[in-house]
Structures are given as structure tokens and as C-alpha cells.
Amino acid sequence: MSWENYMPYIYAIFAPFALALFGIIYGLVLKGFDRKLAAHMQWRVGPPLRQPFYDVLKLFEKENIVPKNAVPWIFNSAPIISMGALILALLYLPIGPFNPVLGNYGDLIVLLYILALPGLAMMLGGFSSSSPYSAVGAQREFIMILSYEFPLAIIIFTFAWKYSILYPNLKAFSLLTFVEHPLWQNVGILGFIGLLILLITMLVVTTGEVGRMPFDIADAGTEISGGALLEYTGKNLGLFYLADAVKIVVMGTLIITFFFPYNLSSLLLHYFSLPHYAWLTIDFLFYLLKLFIISFVVVTVMRVAFPRFRVDQVVKFYWGYATLASLIALSLIVLDTVGGV
Amino acid sequence: MVDMDKKVMARKMGRLIRSIWIFNWFNSCGVTELLPVVASIYDMERFGLIVVDNPKHADVLIVGGYQTEKSIKRVIRIYNQMPEPKAVMALGSCTITGGMYWDSYNTIKRLSDYIPVTIYVPGCPPRPEAVFQAVGMIFEHVNQLKKEVKGK
Ligand code: SF4
């Protein structure tokens, strides 16, 4: 056998490592930009862009404390589960011009469950760490999961339904279908408005999913001093810090896959020719730019512009307004499809 | 062997000073001059210093001003909860000598009698510049350490 027969195996072994490295590094870079830009919005100078890397290095130098009354194996495995689930989610997502590594083995429903895992891990860690503040934080994390999963599920099912009508021969829940056939061209004016509402809902859901400022009730510093992460120090806290950074990459990629799966190469291909790898590089850079813009809108602008909601307000917001908006968008898209046919 | 230790130490310190997470403990007027350090004019985040919400995430404990007989118990408790390596910065004359409360019956006179203090910042209250000078001295110390390791 020639070495080319082994290529799929080599790819399958190295792709997860490469993806994990990409997710961590770009997540930290995005975090650095977030802190710098937020500082500029508040008329400050802000930390250097490398600051998140410094933070992680420092956290890995610090002492790792496991509380006396904690359940050590749950306490220590929670950050690893959180990190592992996010990297697993990256394997299912198309990264820019590259197809997902596990594209043929799972679909959006699997992804929906994987995306609930980091929150669940944080909850487990909080409950197992024996601090009352952590328990309160874990309960709030659970409330968060219950709140944002519902609108997210409606968004995903709206897309799947539309695709199953448009392309009956393709897999409706597959992310590959989403990437190859962007939805914006295939809908009328009503559907266009519906998609816009879905996009806004998705952005709001993402802010809740990454647990940032208006919806950071789970680790609200001034109320429950860190919540579920309260007892974590050293390496474990470092892993949660990294997971927090990767989360924005995962959620941003999900938004890109749903709403902006466009590549520059298909647009520019007619004007000049370049070798294949050059197009890949251009598309990848374009993907990074899209991620940066989404992170800026979802994380930086939101956290500078809005103060924290109360717990009941968050639940009301997601179950009331966000769910209502996504249902309206669903009915608009249904009307558009039925009226158009 | 000693050289090796110094090398490890210099690397460790180099990582630690780049991102210092602070936990504040104030129950007196000493806080008034530290607030501008956080706000936009002096902006301590430039140097990677941020305020965290609980002692378990913190590297540096800032004790501001005089401590009463009651509050010093909490300070000791907070100090014990912080993960190693940790440091304490004491703000104000009150932490050094008792300051203007030197003959008060219910305040402690010298903080280092109770917890190990790494650095004192004098003043009543200390100006933000003094706080930054203290931080700068720590940075300078670590740079010296690095230079020594490199020179050998
Ligand atoms: S040093 Fe001065 S400002 Fe600080 S606590 Fe004492 S009296 Fe107040």
C-alpha cells in the first residue's frame, strides 16, 4: 500500500489537534480584541492584545486547590468535559473553506446536545464544589440553559424545515447542506424579514450561551462572587478560561454556517485566477474576519452597552421575547414558502 | 542547583507579574484614592491588573487603610483562602503605624503583625501614582532577577 492509503487516518488523527489549537489560539486572540476594544469604548487604553495569553500562563502557574468537602473526581473533570465538548463541537462545524471533520457522522441535533454540555459541566462543577455560592451559581447556570435552548431549538428547526422543503433530496439537518446552499437567495421578502429576525434572535442567544455581560447571571461577580467558578483555582480555572475563549469561536462558527456561509473565492473566481491553496488562504482569512465581527457585536458591544439582567428578567427575555420573535420568524418563513409555491 | 532555582523562579515571576488579579479589602477611607486607579484616567488594566470578585481567583490582596479588631479576623481568613503564590499590598499610613488612629482602642496598629505584607504604600491616603510606583517596583525587581539569570 502506498502512503496515500493512510491519508484519511493521518487526517483523522491530526485534524482534531489542529482544530483544538486553532480554537484555543483564535479564541484567546478574540478575547484580547474584546478587552482592548471595550477599554477604548470606556475611554481607557486597555491591556495589550496578548493579555489573555498572559492570563492563561499565569493561571497554569498557580496552586490548584480542591476544597475539602468537594467531590474531587467531579470537581476536577468538569473543566475537562467543558473543554472536550467544545472541541468536539468544532469537529462538527465547517471551519471557513474546510468541510467538517465529522461531517458525515452527525448533524445539527447532535450538535445541539453537545452545545449543552459545557453549561452542564459548569453546573456539575459548581454543585460538587461544596460552596453555597457555587450552588447558587450552578442553579442559575441551569436556568440559563433552560432559557436559551428553546429559542435556539426553534431557530434550528426553522432552518431544517425550510431546507427539507427546498431540497427534498438532501439531508435537512446536515451542516454541509447549509454551507452549500445559503438561504438568503431562496426566500421572498417575507422570508427575508423572517431570516433577519432569526439572525437577531441567534445573536442574542449566543450572548447568553457564551455567558457574557447582560446575561452573566451564572457567574455574576458582584452578586454571588463568581458563581459556579468560585472554588476553582490554578489549572482548573485556566481550563475554564480556555473553554470560555473557545466557546465564542464555536458559537460564531455556528452563526456563520447558518447565516453567512459565503466565501470570497466563489465571488472573485471570475476576475482573476490563483492556485488552489491561495484561495483556501483567502477564504480562511475571510472566515476569521467574519468571526471577529460577530464576536465584536455579540460580546463587546453587548457587554459595554448593557448592564446585567436579573434572573427573572433573563427568563422572561428568552422565554417571552426571544421565543416570540423566533416563532414570528418561523411563521413568516412558512407563509413565504406556502404563498410562493 | 541554586542557579536552576533562580531560573525557575525568574520564569515563574515573569509569568505572574504579567497578569495580576487583585482582591480588594477596604473598610475605611483608604479606598478613596484607589478608585481612580481602576477608572479611566489611570486605568490599571494597561498593565494587566484587574479586580476579581473573590479571593480564590486573586494573586494580590490589597488591604486599604486601618483595620479594626473585628475586620482583621476577616483579613486573615481571606488571606488563607488565596492560592499560592500570593502577595499583600497594604495601603495608607494606618496600616504601617496606625496613622491618625494610633491611640484608638479598637484598631490594629501594624498589619504585618497579623499577615505577611509584601509591600507598604505610605500616604494618607496614597495617591494613585504611589500605587503605580509600588507596582513598578515589583516589575523592576522581576526584571532584575531575569537579567541576573541571563547574565550567568
Ligand atoms: S491612611 Fe489616611 S486615608 Fe488611609 S485609612 Fe488611614 S486615615 Fe484613612
Side-chain angles (χ1 to χ4, degrees):
Chain A
M1 280 208 298
S2 73
W3 65 274
E4 275 176 357
N5 294 16
Y6 293 109
M7 270 311 274
Y9 300 105
I10 296 175
Y11 178 66
I13 290 170
F14 280 102
F17 286 104
L19 269 181
L21 209 64
F22 159 73
I24 289 171
I25 290 178
Y26 197 58
L28 288 178
V29 170
L30 283 180
K31 222 175 174 150
F33 272 112
D34 163 45
R35 280 173 71 173
K36 187 84 187 167
L37 291 172
H40 276 284
M41 287 178 186
Q42 293 166 343
W43 217 268
R44 294 187 285 125
V45 178
L49 285 182
R50 298 177 297 244
Q51 190 58 42
F53 291 91
Y54 291 153
D55 283 355
V56 171
L57 281 180
K58 183 213 66 181
L59 283 175
F60 279 89
E61 287 288 346
K62 295 275 287 186
E63 185 190 7
N64 193 4
I65 300 176
V66 180
K68 206 170 89 192
N69 296 328
V71 188
W73 67 272
I74 302 183
F75 185 79
N76 286 324
S77 59
I80 300 172
I81 295 175
S82 172
M83 195 69 208
L86 285 166
I87 289 169
L88 190 63
L90 268 186
L91 292 183
Y92 283 102
L93 288 166
I95 305 292
F98 306 108
N99 279 339
V101 180
L102 292 177
N104 297 326
Y105 300 98
D107 51 17
L108 263 176
I109 301 176
V110 179
L111 199 63
L112 191 60
Y113 279 97
I114 293 175
L115 283 182
L117 266 182
L120 286 178
M122 200 188 241
M123 219 179 81
L124 273 181
F127 276 131
S128 70
S129 65
S130 81
S131 155
Y133 283 115
S134 299
V136 174
Q139 283 164 8
R140 289 183 175 201
E141 180 72 40
F142 191 51
I143 293 173
M144 273 309 284
I145 296 175
L146 283 182
S147 314
Y148 63 67
E149 290 283 274
F150 194 37
L152 184 62
I154 294 179
I155 294 170
I156 288 180
F157 281 96
T158 312
F159 268 79
W161 180 81
K162 181 72 186 165
Y163 275 107
S164 69
I165 299 284
L166 275 179
Y167 307 101
N169 305 326
L170 294 174
K171 283 192 220 155
F173 275 102
S174 164
L175 284 165
L176 278 175
T177 320
F178 285 35
V179 176
E180 279 155 17
H181 311 277
L183 209 52
W184 297 95
Q185 296 105 318
N186 295 323
V187 290
I189 180 72
L190 277 182
F192 191 83
I193 298 172
L195 275 182
L196 266 186
I197 297 175
L198 276 190
L199 173 61
I200 293 168
T201 319
M202 184 75 192
L203 290 178
V204 173
V205 165
T206 305
T207 310
E209 172 97 36
V210 296
R212 291 302 168 79
M213 192 52 171
F215 307 112
D216 66 338
I217 55 167
D219 51 357
T222 40
E223 293 168 31
I224 50 172
S225 55
L229 296 185
L230 171 77
E231 295 288 340
Y232 281 97
T233 51
K235 268 189 219 86
N236 285 340
L237 186 62
L239 273 178
F240 268 126
Y241 193 96
L242 287 180
D244 192 40
V246 180
K247 219 180 218 172
I248 185 66
V249 175
V250 172
M251 289 309 290
T253 312
L254 198 64
I255 295 180
I256 290 175
T257 316
F258 275 11
F259 295 98
F260 314 107
Y262 300 101
N263 279 330
L264 269 186
S265 61
S266 52
L267 204 71
L268 297 176
L269 209 54
H270 312 295
Y271 299 107
F272 46 90
S273 64
L274 282 174
H276 183 57
Y277 61 86
W279 283 124
L280 276 186
T281 321
I282 289 176
D283 281 346
F284 189 65
L285 289 179
F286 187 52
Y287 160 77
L288 293 187
L289 180 71
K290 283 189 280 189
L291 256 186
F292 169 71
I293 293 171
I294 286 174
S295 147
F296 179 71
V297 173
V298 164
V299 177
T300 316
V301 174
M302 291 288 255
R303 95 182 160 100
V304 175
F306 298 105
R308 184 185 306 124
F309 285 129
R310 278 200 320 266
V311 183
D312 57 326
Q313 285 170 331
V314 168
V315 177
K316 198 172 154 196
F317 183 84
Y318 278 123
W319 279 79
Y321 304 124
T323 309
L324 197 67
S326 49
L327 282 177
I328 289 174
L330 172 63
S331 23
L332 279 180
I333 290 176
V334 170
L335 267 183
D336 183 60
T337 315
V338 176
V341 167
Chain B
M1 197 60 211
V2 178
D3 267 356
M4 194 59 214
D5 278 356
K6 228 177 186 175
K7 230 177 194 168
V8 173
M9 177 89 172
R11 205 196 65 216
K12 249 189 162 179
M13 292 284 284
R15 284 180 180 175
L16 287 171
I17 58 159
R18 285 234 170 82
S19 112
I20 299 175
W21 291 6
I22 292 171
F23 184 73
N24 288 323
W25 177 260
F26 295 125
N27 57 356
S28 50
C29 34
V31 66
T32 46
E33 289 285 357
L34 202 82
L35 289 181
V37 176
V38 187
S40 41
I41 292 185
Y42 291 97
D43 185 24
M44 68 180 187
E45 206 184 352
R46 279 180 296 161
F47 307 109
L49 281 72
I50 52 171
V51 178
V52 290
D53 321 312
N54 66 65
K56 280 157 199 169
H57 297 177
D59 311 307
V60 171
L61 171 66
I62 294 191
V63 181
Y66 65 84
Q67 298 302 320
T68 58
E69 299 276 340
K70 266 187 171 175
S71 74
I72 192 68
K73 291 179 202 154
R74 277 73 181 181
V75 173
I76 294 170
R77 218 173 139 178
I78 288 171
Y79 179 76
N80 288 337
Q81 285 185 7
M82 285 165 60
E84 293 285 348
K86 51 191 168 186
V88 177
M89 185 189 266
L91 285 191
S93 323
C94 282
T95 52
I96 305 175
T97 59
M100 61 194 276
Y101 302 98
W102 61 275
D103 60 348
S104 166
Y105 64 94
N106 64 349
T107 61
I108 62 137
K109 301 297 175 293
R110 196 176 173 80
L111 191 62
S112 46
D113 292 344
Y114 299 86
I115 51 172
V117 176
T118 318
I119 195 162
Y120 279 111
V121 183
C124 182
R127 297 279 305 157
E129 288 89 345
V131 177
F132 277 126
Q133 196 187 356
V135 176
M137 275 162 76
I138 300 174
F139 286 176
E140 198 49 46
H141 171 71
V142 176
N143 282 342
Q144 280 294 328
L145 207 70
K146 277 186 169 169
K147 258 184 212 154
E148 269 176 43
V149 172
K150 265 195 191 144
K152 267 173 193 168

